[in-house]
């Protein structure tokens, strides 16, 4: 019962916090370019987690664990997060979150290619969620920004590959050190990308942008990503990634209330279908999620 309660709490943390980070990134982009923003966010969060882990007596990762952390960190943060931030330069936070919601389908496809067996309810859930996402994307905003659309489509593929890879490579044994190593590796890689792209802060950052970056660092990275790592260690990747069905609904609601973003009839209808997919996948998680499969 205790483990199931922790799984539920971790899933709620990932859904609610990451649903709000889309608007947080959009606000931080007022002053910080996308990859530099990500580098600051994940290097600070990773350093904080590393410090706490060391104070608790946890050993530093071995070389092979640093290598695995670098691989998954690049997939999670450079591709999965960096392209989301870059896409939000031309797309609204709500629409971007909807595009990222295709990630559970990518994860299921990758697992199937690698020979994993998925529960029928998981397959049905991701397919139903995809239908909802497609319906939500019938609006004109995506057609107005082909480059933003492409980045928003590629981002969830990186996150899905990182999720599957995390279950197959040698990572630090403890959750806190594992998260710290992935964030530090991914943040360092994002800093290299930022330097290569010539990113820089052109003016004094606004207070709103700085506060958004702090929120992204502590809640979006330290709290939510730690919860996500716990999910990956205890359930299948397709169940862990099913949070992406909830995020678009939360992100759309926050964008409408606090940022004045609009939602049309197609998006609203798609959101209802997405919620149905969430319920379906949640039932699959309750039946099968407490045991890891095909590590």
């Amino acid at each position: 019962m205790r483990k199931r309660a922790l799984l539920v709490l971790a899933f709620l943390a990932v859904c609610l916090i990451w649903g709000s980070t889309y608007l947080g990134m959009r606000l931080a982009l007022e002053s910080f370019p996308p990859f530099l923003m990500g580098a600051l966010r994940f290097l600070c969060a990773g350093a904080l987690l590393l410090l706490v882990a060391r104070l608790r007596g946890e050993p530093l990762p071995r070389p092979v664990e640093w290598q695995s952390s670098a691989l998954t960190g690049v997939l999670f943060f450079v591709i999965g997060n960096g392209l989301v931030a870059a896409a939000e330069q031309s797309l609204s936070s709500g629409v971007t979150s909807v595009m990222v919601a295709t990630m559970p389908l990518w994860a299921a496809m990758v697992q199937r290619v690698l020979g994993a067996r998925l529960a029928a309810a998981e397959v049905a859930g991701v397919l139903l969620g995809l239908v909802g996402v497609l319906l939500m994307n019938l609006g004109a905003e995506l057609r107005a920004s082909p480059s933003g659309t492409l980045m928003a489509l590629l981002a969830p593929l990186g996150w899905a590959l990182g999720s599957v890879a995390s279950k197959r490579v040698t990572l630090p044994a403890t959750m806190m050190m594992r998260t710290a190593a992935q964030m530090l590796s991914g943040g360092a890689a994002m800093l290299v990308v930022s330097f290569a792209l010539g990113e820089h802060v052109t003016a004094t950052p606004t207070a709103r942008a700085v506060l958004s970056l702090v929120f992204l660092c502590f809640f979006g990275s330290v709290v939510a990503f730690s919860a996500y790592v716990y999910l990956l260690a205890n359930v299948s990747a397709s169940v862990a990634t099913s949070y992406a069905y909830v995020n678009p609904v939360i992100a759309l609601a926050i964008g409408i209330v606090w940022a004045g973003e609009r939602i049309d009839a197609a998006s609203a209808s798609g959101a209802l279908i997405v919620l149905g997919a969430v319920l379906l996948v949640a039932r699959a998680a309750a039946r099968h999620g407490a045991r890891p499969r095909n590590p």
Side-chain angles (χ1 to χ4, degrees), residues 110-126:
V110 170
Q111 287 187 100
R112 182 63 64 87
V113 169
L114 295 176
R117 294 182 179 179
L118 303 178
E122 293 177 72
V123 176
V126 295

Side-chain angles (χ1 to χ4, degrees), residues 45-58 176-177 180 184:
L48 177 61
L49 287 172
L50 181 67
L51 175 62
V52 175
R54 291 296 290 158
L55 291 175
R56 293 175 55 181
E58 298 181 14
M176 184 171 294
M177 188 60 75
L184 288 172

Side-chain angles (χ1 to χ4, degrees), residues 218-246:
F218 182 73
F219 288 100
S221 299
V222 175
V223 177
F225 192 75
S226 296
Y228 184 65
V229 170
Y230 178 77
L231 287 175
L232 284 177
N234 290 276
V235 302
S236 68
S238 59
V239 172
T241 56
S242 64
Y243 74 87
Y245 292 147
V246 186

Side-chain angles (χ1 to χ4, degrees), residues 43 66 69-71 73-74 77-78 180-190:
L43 286 174
W66 276 116
S69 297
L71 170 63
V74 167
F77 303 118
V78 178
Q182 290 177 318
M183 285 188 177
L184 288 172
S185 300
M190 294 187 84

